[in-house]
Amino acid sequence: MVKKWPVLDLGVQPHVPKDRWKLTVNGAVENPVVWTWNDFLAQPQTDIVADIHCVTTWSLYDSRWAGVATKDFLSVVRPKPKARFVVFHSHDGYTTNVPLERFAEPAALLARAWNGTEITREHGGPVRIVIPSLYFWKSAKWVRQISFHAEDRPGFWELRGYHNNGDPWDEERYG
Ligand SMILES: Nc1nc2c(c(=O)[nH]1)N[C@H]1C(S)=C(S)[C@@H](COP(=O)(O)O)O[C@H]1N2
Ligand SMILES: [Mo]
């Protein structure tokens, strides 16, 4: 368990001002939107409290996250029936993949705040993904694009030996 929240990234922490922030949604969706920061704030906002588990064994307990719930996001973009996988693309070149049904879980969020304050640049602000039911490498920081696919597309760590699924309860660390 950790009290402080460690920073883990590829060594680049992109600076993305909110007035230039955009989220592009594409692939197998009925409504391929591009959201600005104001569009993001205009969506219903949700709070969740969740623990996070990192593959390198630290965990962060009882964090409160705020942002757009993935179920609300999905009701806007409407994945096509063939869509089964989601890939996040980030400003630092990072990518990671999750099954659509995990992305759609009630606690999953497009997060903009953590414990009452905006997510800092080092932790992936303005917006990062939070999927508490999966290891933290699946929670993309500095997300800029979310794409939906019929077939799975392993991301950065998944191509470098991490498990494709990353479920902490099954201890799916390395593939
Ligand atoms: N864009 C991006 N997202 C990322 C990463 C990264 O390098 N780039 N690292 C992942 C890993 S391995 C972890 S453990 C968490 C770390 O998040 P934190 O730095 O906020 O603790 O972010 C994940 N999301
Ligand atoms: Mo990690």
Side-chain angles (χ1 to χ4, degrees):
M1 145 149 207
V2 290
K3 288 245 169 54
K4 279 178 113 176
W5 181 7
V7 173
L8 286 116
D9 54 50
L10 305 175
V12 187
Q13 295 179 347
H15 175 59
V16 188
K18 292 203 281 288
D19 59 359
R20 295 212 330 254
W21 181 86
K22 278 199 168 59
L23 178 67
T24 301
V25 183
N26 58 18
V29 288
E30 305 290 352
N31 184 26
V33 297
V34 179
W35 279 354
T36 63
W37 183 249
N38 286 337
D39 296 330
F40 185 86
L41 292 183
Q43 311 304 315
Q45 302 288 311
T46 297
D47 269 38
I48 60 143
V49 173
D51 302 337
I52 284 284
H53 305 280
C54 180
V55 70
T56 52
T57 71
W58 59 269
S59 294
L60 187 66
Y61 292 98
D62 271 345
S63 293
R64 177 177 295 275
W65 305 90
V68 176
T70 58
K71 65 170 172 23
D72 292 324
F73 168 79
L74 289 167
S75 73
V76 173
V77 304
R78 301 195 309 277
K80 293 184 175 169
K82 69 176 181 189
R84 291 183 48 230
F85 298 93
V86 184
V87 178
F88 309 117
H89 303 259
S90 298
H91 282 281
D92 60 342
Y94 189 82
T95 58
T96 188
N97 58 316
V98 295
L100 176 55
E101 70 265 21
R102 301 308 290 268
F103 179 69
E105 282 178 2
L109 217 56
L110 280 50
R112 57 164 174 76
W114 177 77
N115 287 352
T117 52
E118 290 188 341
I119 295 174
T120 57
R121 172 181 178 181
E122 60 186 0
H123 286 301
V127 173
R128 76 173 297 161
I129 304 298
V130 174
I131 305 180
S133 71
L134 297 175
Y135 275 126
F136 211 18
W137 87 78
K138 296 289 192 182
S139 289
K141 310 202 280 189
W142 311 291
V143 66
R144 65 172 179 82
Q145 184 187 321
I146 301 178
S147 45
F148 291 78
H149 304 282
E151 71 299 332
D152 202 5
R153 305 205 178 173
F156 183 88
W157 284 119
E158 293 81 11
L159 290 170
R160 288 165 177 79
Y162 280 24
H163 197 285
N164 196 55
N165 301 333
D167 187 327
W169 306 115
D170 296 337
E171 300 203 22
E172 291 175 340
R173 293 196 170 93
Y174 307 101

